[in-house]
Amino acid sequence: TSLFRCNPNQNMVQFLDEEIQGERNLQTSSEPPPIEGFTSKFEQGRVTLSKSLGDETVEVIFNITNTVDSASEDADGAEESADEMISKPPFTVEVKRTGQQNRLVIACDFVPDEMPKDSEEEPDLFMINEVAF
């Protein structure tokens, strides 16, 4: 009958087909893109970026599970394309020295886009929540 010929149903089917194809494309790429100077390890949603500098190792650790926003506003107030996925998860930076058990741990969050900008200086991209040794 006319229920299946209705244009809104065709639009919904087309939208769902595109979404399913997009999810399939995402599933085929199991590794995050390389970041110059870092080795990366990806395990489920947890990402570890490592870099050795002399006798120190720096690791940036974050989890991307459930941290993706589909669209946001830019500085001019214009909304970006909904196709662009942005993830700003909390992250931890660990600095370790070879042969020592102590390490410096810095827990950070990205600054929310809604934070007021008080001055003309360039805004901070992230904030430090905790520092531990």
Side-chain angles (χ1 to χ4, degrees):
T1 65
S2 66
L3 178 64
F4 294 107
R5 295 180 192 174
C6 173
N7 201 13
N9 284 338
Q10 290 173 349
N11 291 341
M12 178 61 81
V13 168
Q14 181 181 359
F15 171 77
L16 290 174
D17 284 342
E18 291 170 2
E19 287 294 312
I20 290 168
Q21 185 60 38
E23 289 294 325
R24 285 184 181 149
N25 291 342
L26 287 174
Q27 290 175 352
T28 60
S29 60
S30 61
E31 293 292 320
I35 297 177
E36 187 176 333
F38 286 86
T39 58
S40 60
K41 181 175 137 187
F42 188 72
E43 188 175 309
Q44 294 178 338
R46 182 182 166 106
V47 178
T48 303
L49 304 173
S50 302
K51 183 175 192 171
S52 294
L53 302 166
D55 67 339
E56 294 180 339
T57 301
V58 177
E59 287 186 339
V60 180
I61 305 159
F62 54 95
N63 192 320
I64 58 171
T65 304
N66 298 324
T67 64
V68 177
D69 293 327
S70 60
S72 64
E73 292 186 1
D74 63 16
D76 299 331
E79 191 170 299
E80 294 178 7
S81 168
D83 293 339
E84 184 173 335
M85 304 301 273
I86 300 171
S87 177
K88 295 183 177 180
F91 61 96
T92 303
V93 179
E94 294 186 10
V95 181
K96 304 172 193 175
R97 281 211 168 133
T98 305
Q100 294 186 5
Q101 289 186 339
N102 295 336
R103 62 183 179 201
L104 175 64
V105 180
I106 305 167
C108 305
D109 276 313
F110 284 95
V111 175
D113 294 332
E114 303 86 42
M115 293 282 285
K117 296 173 176 98
D118 297 332
S119 67
E120 292 182 16
E121 295 179 18
E122 194 166 322
D124 293 333
L125 297 177
F126 64 92
M127 57 188 165
I128 297 174
N129 296 327
E130 185 177 354
V131 177
F133 186 70

